[in-house]
Amino acid sequence: MISLKQFKYFIEIVEAGSYSRAAEKLFIAQSALSRQIKELEDALQTPLLTRDARQFELTPAGQLFFERGKRILEDIDDTLVQARHVGQGAQGVIRLQHSSSVILTPRISNALAHALAQHPGVTLDVSMLPSENQTMEIEEGRVDIGLLRLPTLRRHPHIQVREIGSEPLMVAVARASPLAALDNVELADLSAQAFISIPHKDRGGLSYLVANLCLEQGFFPKPARALSRKSSQLNLIEAGLGIAIVPECMRLTAPAGVHFVQLSRGRLLSSVGLATRREADPLVAAFADTLIARLA
């Protein structure tokens, strides 16, 4: 019967490149290591290594066993860590916030569901907060994970932000607007339009990004008479009060009277970041890493 020890010994030999180096790393005699591999091959009824006095080579069966065996051991290690976390009380609530422009799309929602399945002791408390405020909340310990629209202006020494994806920017207009008849619009052609959202002097995020893109084209967004940086801006657009440049994901929550026009042929992008404390609680760090691995 094959043992996990034999799995580990075989993988150590392959990664070390020799029996002697593997034996030193494992703190066992080389003869005992050779015996374990011989018993493994006997149990499988096939050779895994062809060897002479100085070196060895993997057989096709050995290559397969190495690749899949390494994955099996990694899965076992992950399972042990998770079981230990749960057994030591690694259960509780993780507080997650997202900005109004970071919609919980199927991609993000599925990643959250996967992370919850991988961490059965976790319950998520999800709420909404502007991107710039999230980093302060995390810094001060009131939030664990933030999904924010980049860039953020404030820098906090204990916060790390990792990018988890980008998407095209689009122009949201009322269906009655002449712009709605266009297939594509260039950013420079929007200089006369009234913008529902303009940047706050102390905040980054989507409105800050859009303002800087406009400045690169030689104009600053002209403010509409009604302004909003929240998801309610789509309702103001539907009422014909102005336009907004928004990430493509906002089509998922737009009211029927809002139309989306491709911007600069899809070349302008907006990125989303995941924020945590650099020295986060181990359970929060593990949950965040699971999310990032799924979204990468």
Side-chain angles (χ1 to χ4, degrees):
M1 188 173 181
I2 296 172
S3 67
L4 288 177
K5 179 170 67 176
Q6 289 170 334
F7 269 87
K8 182 178 180 180
Y9 285 0
F10 178 77
I11 288 166
E12 287 287 357
I13 290 169
V14 175
E15 291 185 336
S18 76
Y19 276 76
S20 58
R21 284 195 292 271
E24 290 176 5
K25 186 174 180 181
L26 293 166
F27 300 103
I28 64 171
Q30 186 172 332
S31 58
L33 185 59
S34 297
R35 185 170 62 254
Q36 288 289 334
I37 300 307
K38 179 64 169 61
E39 290 177 2
L40 173 62
E41 291 176 321
D42 289 344
L44 293 171
Q45 299 180 0
T46 187
L48 300 175
L49 302 168
T50 57
R51 42 201 179 274
D52 55 30
R54 293 188 177 181
Q55 61 184 11
F56 66 81
E57 290 184 0
L58 287 168
T59 65
Q63 183 66 41
L64 176 70
F65 192 86
F66 171 71
E67 293 172 358
R68 296 194 179 181
K70 188 173 182 180
R71 288 202 298 269
I72 288 169
L73 287 182
E74 289 171 352
D75 287 343
I76 290 172
D77 287 343
D78 288 344
T79 301
L80 292 174
V81 169
Q82 291 179 29
R84 188 178 301 115
H85 282 165
V86 173
Q88 293 175 350
Q91 303 181 58
V93 176
I94 289 180
R95 300 157 297 177
L96 182 146
Q97 291 183 334
H98 65 100
S99 76
S100 59
S101 68
V102 180
I103 306 298
L104 297 186
T105 61
R107 173 176 172 264
I108 294 177
S109 297
N110 289 338
L112 289 172
H114 171 76
L116 286 169
Q118 295 298 307
H119 301 273
V122 168
T123 299
L124 275 183
D125 180 0
V126 180
S127 58
M128 192 181 296
L129 194 70
S131 297
E132 206 70 56
N133 294 29
Q134 289 181 39
T135 52
M136 177 64 75
E137 292 290 294
I138 296 170
E139 175 79 7
E140 295 181 355
R142 291 185 290 272
V143 174
D144 300 306
I145 297 175
L147 297 177
L148 45 85
R149 186 67 59 177
L150 300 174
T152 55
L153 303 183
R154 297 172 185 166
R155 296 289 180 263
H156 302 284
H158 303 110
I159 301 297
Q160 63 174 344
V161 179
R162 291 171 281 180
E163 186 174 329
I164 58 172
S166 61
E167 57 187 314
L169 290 169
M170 304 190 77
V171 185
V173 303
R175 287 197 177 273
S177 168
L179 291 172
L182 302 177
D183 294 326
N184 178 77
V185 64
E186 292 298 322
L187 182 57
D189 296 333
L190 300 176
S191 59
Q193 299 293 324
F195 282 70
I196 292 294
S197 178
I198 61 171
H200 186 283
K201 63 183 180 67
D202 296 323
R203 293 181 185 169
L206 180 62
S207 60
Y208 181 86
L209 170 65
V210 169
N212 277 286
L213 291 172
C214 291
L215 286 172
E216 290 175 5
Q217 298 299 314
F219 74 98
F220 188 82
K222 174 185 173 182
R225 294 180 62 194
L227 299 174
S228 174
R229 298 180 190 89
K230 306 295 185 182
S231 54
S232 58
Q233 66 183 274
L234 296 175
N235 301 103
L236 299 178
I237 292 167
E238 184 180 35
L241 294 174
I243 70 167
I245 295 174
V246 298
E248 186 178 32
C249 69
M250 293 192 74
R251 300 174 74 166
L252 297 174
T253 59
V258 177
H259 182 74
F260 291 81
V261 182
Q262 187 180 55
L263 178 64
S264 299
R265 306 197 184 280
R267 295 190 303 269
L268 301 180
L269 303 176
S270 172
S271 298
V272 174
L274 186 148
T276 59
R277 289 185 66 87
R278 295 186 187 278
E279 301 297 331
D281 175 88
L283 186 61
V284 172
F287 191 89
D289 288 345
T290 301
L291 269 182
I292 289 171
R294 192 71 171 185
L295 292 168

